[in-house]
Amino acid sequence: MTNLAYIIAAYSWGIVGISLMMYAVRRQRLKLEAILTHLESAL
Amino acid sequence: MQQRIGQGWTQCLGLLLYVLLLSLWGYALIGLGSEEHQGDVYRIIYMHVPAAFAAFMCSFVLFVASIYGLKRNKHGQAVLYGRAAAEVGLAFTLITLVTGSIWGKPTWGVWWTWDGRLTTTFILLLLYGGYLFLWSAVSDPVLRTKVCSILGLLIFADVPIIYKSVTWWRTLHQPPSLFQGGQGLIAGEFLSLLLGGIAGVSLLALWLIWQRGINLGLQKEIDTQLIKKSLRY
């Protein structure tokens, strides 16, 4: 592996990891709020 | 429902931090020159070191949440933030270990070695994982708060050991590289970028803990409402 490959691998791992975490919390929030709104209107 | 208020600006804040970090890493990759001894591979430290500091910061949040959970808030939001900190801490410890390993191969010639710094960081990963495992294994909320908070305190105790591991034991990992004896060891521009990265990633980790903590609170509220609903029928 060249140095460039190591750098790309490390940055990809970090950036993809952080992006996935951000996406996951956002997506989960939308889902939970939709469920809660549905429950509140049903009660 | 107050969590939903101000949702827009909190999302913007997260996005802003993310964009700032991407620009910082872009500059670290393209704007900075090569380092004398390591060549270009040193650029990995702008991902590796901030991730490590974020993992340590998560353990501090977990420590505060654990103390608060043990003393006052046995059923409340504090322990949920503790759990969120353990999740985010686990992710950042994993990023630290993997990027460190990728940096280690061209620098040391090995992907992994069981030296003091690497082993204690690996233990941190296992402890974060153990905390989450324990959380799911105990169903009684009061007991869960108690045992998880005690483990949370132990996790925080691992951080000074990780930090001092390079001075206490002979390791392949280099000694503290930011400051030693009150003096900076890295030249100006490299140091400011690294400190900026540490601040940025730590703030992003805090943001993730905050958002995930709110999600866990919403999940709890849904569970309560479902119980109420099932009791009605």
Side-chain angles (χ1 to χ4, degrees):
Chain A
M1 275 172 99
T2 63
N3 278 355
L4 184 66
Y6 289 117
I7 295 167
I8 291 171
Y11 273 83
S12 309
W13 180 261
I15 291 171
V16 169
I18 290 171
S19 309
L20 279 177
M21 279 191 277
M22 294 189 69
Y23 174 72
V25 287
R26 176 72 187 141
R27 194 177 152 79
Q28 189 188 34
R29 174 73 54 83
L30 292 173
K31 252 184 172 175
L32 290 170
E33 283 187 348
I35 295 171
L36 205 53
T37 311
H38 175 74
L39 280 173
E40 280 172 351
S41 59
L43 276 175
Chain B
M1 296 316 3
Q2 71 191 57
Q3 284 102 334
R4 290 185 227 180
I5 301 167
Q7 171 77 295
W9 76 266
T10 56
Q11 294 304 317
C12 285
L13 188 68
L15 208 61
L16 181 73
L17 275 170
Y18 182 71
V19 172
L20 281 175
L21 273 174
L22 287 182
S23 334
L24 186 142
W25 286 324
Y27 184 73
L29 286 173
I30 300 159
L32 287 180
S34 294
E35 201 262 346
E36 194 183 340
H37 303 290
Q38 294 183 39
D40 283 319
V41 86
Y42 85 96
R43 295 176 204 276
I44 294 175
I45 66 160
Y46 294 103
M47 176 62 74
H48 173 69
V49 178
F53 272 88
F56 296 163
M57 202 265 320
C58 291
S59 78
F60 178 71
V61 176
L62 179 56
F63 173 75
V64 174
S66 299
I67 295 269
Y68 194 71
L70 275 176
K71 288 210 160 199
R72 294 186 184 174
N73 200 238
K74 290 189 169 54
H75 300 281
Q77 188 73 11
V79 283
L80 298 182
Y81 282 111
R83 187 198 149 147
E87 289 174 352
V88 177
L90 179 81
F92 277 106
T93 311
L94 198 59
I95 292 175
T96 306
L97 285 174
V98 173
T99 53
S101 177
I102 295 171
W103 177 82
K105 180 63 181 162
T107 317
W108 301 335
V110 286
W111 291 103
W112 182 265
T113 178
W114 292 103
D115 87 338
R117 174 58 69 87
L118 276 69
T119 307
T120 47
T121 311
F122 183 67
I123 290 171
L124 181 68
L125 181 84
L126 294 181
L127 285 169
Y128 276 136
Y131 181 97
L132 296 174
F133 182 73
L134 193 63
W135 182 283
S136 2
V138 184
S139 52
D140 175 33
V142 177
L143 181 66
R144 184 170 57 201
T145 302
K146 203 172 176 182
V147 290
C148 286
S149 298
I150 292 166
L151 183 57
L153 301 182
L154 280 176
I155 292 173
F156 183 64
D158 186 40
V159 171
I161 301 173
I162 297 174
Y163 191 74
K164 294 300 281 181
S165 60
V166 285
T167 45
W168 286 347
W169 301 296
R170 278 175 60 184
T171 61
L172 195 56
H173 197 284
Q174 73 271 27
S177 356
L178 279 180
F179 298 99
Q180 211 171 37
Q183 284 195 326
L185 296 176
I186 304 175
E189 191 186 15
F190 296 91
L191 181 65
S192 359
L193 202 66
L194 190 55
L195 292 177
I198 291 171
V201 177
S202 300
L203 283 173
L204 193 71
L206 272 179
W207 182 86
L208 282 165
I209 294 170
W210 177 29
Q211 296 303 308
R212 176 68 180 137
I214 291 173
N215 284 1
L216 288 168
L218 286 173
Q219 182 66 61
K220 198 176 160 188
E221 205 176 319
I222 288 171
D223 293 343
T224 316
Q225 296 223 12
L226 282 173
I227 292 168
K228 270 187 200 166
K229 203 176 173 187
S230 62
L231 286 175
R232 275 190 184 185
Y233 297 108

